[in-house]
Amino acid sequence: MRKAIFFDRDGTLNDFKLGEYITKADELVLLKGAARAVKKANDAGYLCIVVTNQGGVIHNKGITYSDVELINERLIELLKNEGAKIDSLYFCPHYPEVESCDCRKPKTGLISMSMRDFDINLQDSYMIGDSDSDILAGKNARIKTIGIGERIKVEANFCTYNVEEAVDYILKGEKNCPKLV
Ligand SMILES: [Mg+2]
Ligand SMILES: [Zn+2]
């Protein structure tokens, strides 16, 4: 069995402003420390899996499923260029006002899909994200959660300011760190 870190995409690994959408691969810019964070997790033996809701951009900006795939591939490529490996990426293409699904975070379908592809030990796995829906997805899947940034309103196991600090926290095993935000 492998331990895993599930990473949200927008606002966690790449720069993202709330209410805006990434519609083209060349708009995607890694956040500072994102590649280092993933590489540290790789080196510590964690599967690194991205789980991302992309129904909003498909519905509101009219981009296609394959446009999203190109953007996702760009993310993986930029990380790879800095020596960081994403083991897999799962995205929800659904938009709640149009169709219901089991995969849009805070639902657990994306995490469940990964469990079909990998033998994952949930007890030692984490979800890192910048939205309450990320934290709730992690809680619903019964994994530990780390919130990053200032938008988190629900309780996570730990909160910090960026993804590298989140991974550092996991690797240090500081279960009793104070909640910062
Ligand atoms: Mg996000
Ligand atoms: Zn979905």
Side-chain angles (χ1 to χ4, degrees):
M1 284 188 122
R2 297 278 305 274
K3 52 195 179 178
I5 299 176
F6 295 91
F7 297 88
D8 167 53
R9 196 191 84 177
D10 299 324
T12 298
L13 293 173
N14 58 274
D15 197 14
F16 182 74
K17 284 172 194 65
L18 197 61
E20 293 181 8
Y21 291 106
I22 293 167
T23 58
K24 295 190 200 76
D26 63 9
E27 294 169 354
L28 190 133
V29 177
L30 290 181
L31 282 168
K32 196 165 165 279
R36 278 197 306 270
V38 173
K39 187 168 189 326
K40 285 178 185 178
N42 294 149
D43 292 345
Y46 285 88
L47 285 169
C48 291
I49 298 173
V50 178
V51 287
T52 176
N53 288 348
Q54 294 298 327
V57 65
I58 291 171
H59 179 76
N60 292 315
K61 295 290 174 183
I63 75 167
T64 64
Y65 194 95
S66 54
D67 292 330
V68 175
E69 286 183 325
L70 288 174
I71 296 165
N72 291 337
E73 281 166 21
R74 178 69 178 154
L75 172 77
I76 291 168
E77 183 190 1
L78 288 174
L79 289 167
K80 189 177 165 198
N81 290 346
E82 296 191 42
K85 182 188 173 203
I86 295 299
D87 291 284
S88 199
L89 179 151
Y90 303 86
F91 75 95
C92 166
H94 309 109
Y95 195 68
E97 287 168 28
V98 181
E99 55 195 329
S100 65
C101 71
D102 294 323
C103 50
R104 186 178 169 86
K105 296 175 287 182
K107 292 184 177 172
T108 57
L110 299 174
I111 294 173
S112 305
M113 279 179 221
S114 77
M115 294 184 65
R116 273 181 241 143
D117 296 336
F118 300 96
D119 190 19
I120 294 174
N121 175 358
L122 289 180
Q123 268 194 337
D124 293 328
S125 295
Y126 291 82
M127 175 78 219
I128 301 175
D130 69 324
S131 302
D132 286 348
S133 61
D134 300 315
I135 303 308
L136 294 171
K139 287 183 166 194
N140 288 335
R142 300 183 195 287
I143 62 177
K144 285 169 276 191
T145 56
I146 303 181
I148 61 173
E150 290 167 6
R151 287 168 51 215
I152 305 292
K153 301 284 179 268
V154 298
E155 193 174 350
N157 291 96
F158 183 61
C159 283
T160 185
Y161 298 103
N162 63 56
V163 68
E164 188 176 17
E165 288 174 6
V167 170
D168 286 344
Y169 165 79
I170 294 171
L171 301 189
K172 278 187 268 175
E174 290 177 353
K175 304 285 188 287
N176 298 313
C177 278
K179 193 164 182 284
L180 296 181
V181 294

